[in-house]
Amino acid sequence: MTDLDILNELEPESAETPARRRGLSLASIVLMVGVVAAVVVVGIALARQQQGQPTAGPAPDFTVTTFDGDTIRLSDLRGRPVVVNFWASWCPPCREEAPRFQALWERYRDAGVLFLGITYVDNDADSLAFMDEFGITYPNGPDVGTFISKEQYLITGVPETFIIDQDGNIAEFFLYLEDEAQLSTTLDRLLQAG
Amino acid sequence: MNRWFELPGRQGILLPLILQPLLLKLCAALRRKRGEGANGTSEPLSPFTWERGRTEGSGVRGWLRAPTAFSLRSWRPGGLFVLFLLCFTMPAFAQGALDDGVVSADEVNMVARRLYCPVCPNERLDACQTQACVNWRSDIRVQLEAGRNEDEIVADFVRRYGERAAGVPIDPTLNALSLVTPYVIAVIALAVGVFTFLRWRKRPTTQPTVLTTTSAASPPDQDYRSALEKDVEG
């Protein structure tokens, strides 16, 4: 009898042993799904962190109700440059740049430029007091639910300012208005091009 | 302001319930001191039934021991009435503290604990010292003074400043994931539980192991051994 014959004889006995389970166990599958889900969540969070403010291309459209009760929609302002300034009364740099924005508004309003202030997580009463303090007369309104600032323009803080050209594209973005020339240069260029 | 008065209704009700046994023990002790029920009879000293025999035998005063069982016969209507009143007086004190128009920093911080700084990442409002947080806390104070409760104030902040104010992820995908994940985990856990149970039910009952003759003395093994011996011998 050869070894093969012996093994063949032994085989029926080994067939009685339970067959090894094939594939992954339920616990392994659950674990893998958990790991994949965790990777997806972390990936989305990282991707979100990498996203910055839109500095070029079409400006996200939004509608804001001003403190005066007027409703302004950005897309309705096509054909004229728009300066969108995010600010808050509790923000010290906003206090510094507020008089400059008001001065520029007074200078460019007749040229067709619209200044639009949007308050970010600020109490309405504090915002109005801030506007009174600096004599701000251009339209301002709260970003209710922080949808405009956090969902559309992805601001990282205040102040932040977007200059939108006549075609509705973002022409320039800056964090802080150091002097009036910084903004007037861009506005002059847009008005000449328009 | 006394911190006891800051307890909201549900917690306020717990307080008299905690104090209730202590109060009863105190009453029993006073009665015992006056001589009531101290003659070794089975009459209990309080609305609870005490294991007097054991406690006296062990040298421990009965009223110091925990009650072992309730006895309906021994409930005193007067004591019950006092306890019933106590259950409602504590929340009434808490309400009075909010109604008097003076809101403490602790009360403001209790609400602020549920909100997050709009500027600093992952900083709770009660711990943040930025001007934005100071403004928000004063806003909370104004709303508390106006009679709004904690949930109403948080809801108002979420409406005005977004869900981020309450620490909910801004990203819609993450937000949806955070909402769905607990349910998914629950469903998976349920499925695993049901699957395990069914597999356990289907498993055949274990039969006693029958020793077969195919062991060391079996013919194949003997053949193999003899073949092996032949090979070794050459």
Side-chain angles (χ1 to χ4, degrees):
Chain A
M1 183 179 279
T2 63
D3 288 353
L4 187 61
D5 294 334
I6 295 167
L7 285 173
N8 285 337
E9 283 186 21
L10 285 170
E11 199 167 343
E13 188 184 5
S14 62
E16 290 174 7
T17 59
R20 284 176 66 92
R21 269 184 280 162
R22 292 176 187 173
L24 297 168
S25 67
L26 187 64
S28 305
I29 292 168
V30 170
L31 187 67
M32 282 175 63
V33 168
V35 168
V36 169
V39 167
V40 168
V41 168
V42 171
I44 291 171
L46 283 174
R48 178 86 191 182
Q49 277 186 344
Q50 298 294 322
Q51 273 186 310
Q53 303 91 339
T55 54
D61 192 21
F62 63 84
T63 303
V64 65
T65 303
T66 66
F67 291 118
D68 295 330
D70 299 327
T71 301
I72 296 176
R73 189 176 176 185
L74 184 67
S75 55
D76 292 341
L77 303 172
R78 292 277 166 84
R80 55 194 292 197
V82 181
V83 177
V84 179
N85 172 234
F86 291 94
W87 63 276
S89 65
W90 41 261
C91 147
C94 300
R95 304 184 74 81
E96 292 175 18
E97 67 175 10
R100 295 173 199 143
F101 275 115
Q102 178 60 26
L104 285 162
W105 159 246
E106 288 169 7
R107 194 200 306 178
Y108 284 97
R109 64 187 299 181
D110 293 334
V113 178
L114 179 72
F115 281 61
L116 180 58
I118 296 175
T119 61
Y120 171 69
V121 288
D122 199 13
N123 189 308
D124 288 359
D126 293 338
S127 301
L128 289 168
F130 180 95
M131 289 169 63
D132 280 345
E133 183 181 346
F134 293 101
I136 292 171
T137 55
Y138 55 86
N140 277 270
D143 179 13
V144 178
T146 64
F147 180 73
I148 303 168
S149 51
K150 282 295 178 186
E151 295 290 324
Q152 295 187 294
Y153 284 81
L154 305 173
I155 69 167
T156 54
V158 280
E160 287 191 14
T161 302
F162 298 82
I163 304 172
I164 297 160
D165 66 17
Q166 292 91 328
D167 298 325
N169 295 316
I170 296 173
E172 193 177 334
F173 159 77
F174 56 85
L175 295 174
Y176 173 64
L177 182 64
E178 289 182 15
D179 53 36
E180 293 178 21
Q182 184 185 350
L183 185 55
S184 61
T185 307
T186 307
L187 289 178
D188 288 339
R189 176 170 56 81
L190 291 177
L191 289 170
Q192 280 176 1
Chain B
M1 188 181 293
N2 192 329
R3 199 168 172 77
W4 287 108
F5 295 160
E6 294 171 13
L7 290 169
R10 275 182 301 179
Q11 290 161 304
I13 288 172
L14 287 177
L15 183 65
L17 290 177
I18 294 165
L19 291 177
Q20 174 182 334
L22 295 173
L23 187 70
L24 291 172
K25 287 170 190 172
L26 184 66
C27 292
L30 289 173
R31 248 188 262 126
R32 191 183 183 88
K33 197 172 180 182
R34 285 187 312 199
E36 284 183 46
N39 52 0
T41 61
S42 61
E43 185 188 354
L45 296 175
S46 75
F48 297 105
T49 300
W50 304 90
E51 287 184 302
R52 291 176 53 79
R54 273 193 216 167
T55 54
E56 286 170 1
S58 61
V60 181
R61 288 177 67 90
W63 58 274
L64 287 174
R65 293 289 300 267
T68 54
F70 285 100
S71 170
L72 288 175
R73 282 183 305 172
S74 60
W75 281 95
R76 304 282 172 87
L80 273 176
F81 182 68
V82 171
L83 288 175
F84 180 77
L85 285 181
L86 261 178
C87 287
F88 290 94
T89 47
M90 289 298 179
F93 286 152
Q95 191 61 43
L98 287 177
D99 289 345
D100 64 6
V102 181
V103 177
S104 72
D106 282 346
E107 284 170 317
V108 172
N109 283 335
M110 206 176 290
V111 182
R113 248 174 245 142
R114 293 177 58 184
L115 297 168
Y116 285 81
C117 168
V119 185
C120 322
N122 303 322
E123 178 101 37
R124 274 195 341 200
L125 185 60
D126 61 322
C128 179
Q129 296 303 319
T130 62
Q131 187 58 43
C133 292
V134 171
N135 288 0
W136 275 25
R137 285 199 292 268
S138 65
D139 197 353
I140 291 171
R141 181 184 298 275
V142 168
Q143 294 201 36
L144 281 172
E145 284 173 352
R148 284 189 170 185
N149 66 31
E150 204 173 309
D151 290 336
E152 287 172 341
I153 295 170
V154 171
D156 180 62
F157 271 75
V158 168
R159 182 189 61 79
R160 284 192 291 163
Y161 307 127
E163 291 184 322
R164 183 174 182 266
V168 177
I170 311 165
D171 188 283
T173 314
L174 288 178
N175 196 348
L177 271 175
S178 68
L179 290 173
V180 167
T181 302
Y183 296 104
V184 171
I185 290 172
V187 167
I188 289 174
L190 190 68
V192 169
V194 169
F195 179 77
T196 310
F197 179 72
L198 289 176
R199 202 171 58 173
W200 174 72
R201 286 282 306 272
K202 282 181 182 173
R203 187 183 294 171
T205 53
T206 52
Q207 299 292 334
T209 309
V210 179
L211 288 174
T212 59
T213 53
T214 57
S215 60
S218 64
D221 202 4
Q222 283 178 346
D223 291 341
Y224 177 74
R225 184 171 291 175
S226 59
L228 189 64
E229 283 170 358
K230 278 181 187 173
D231 285 346
V232 170
E233 287 169 1

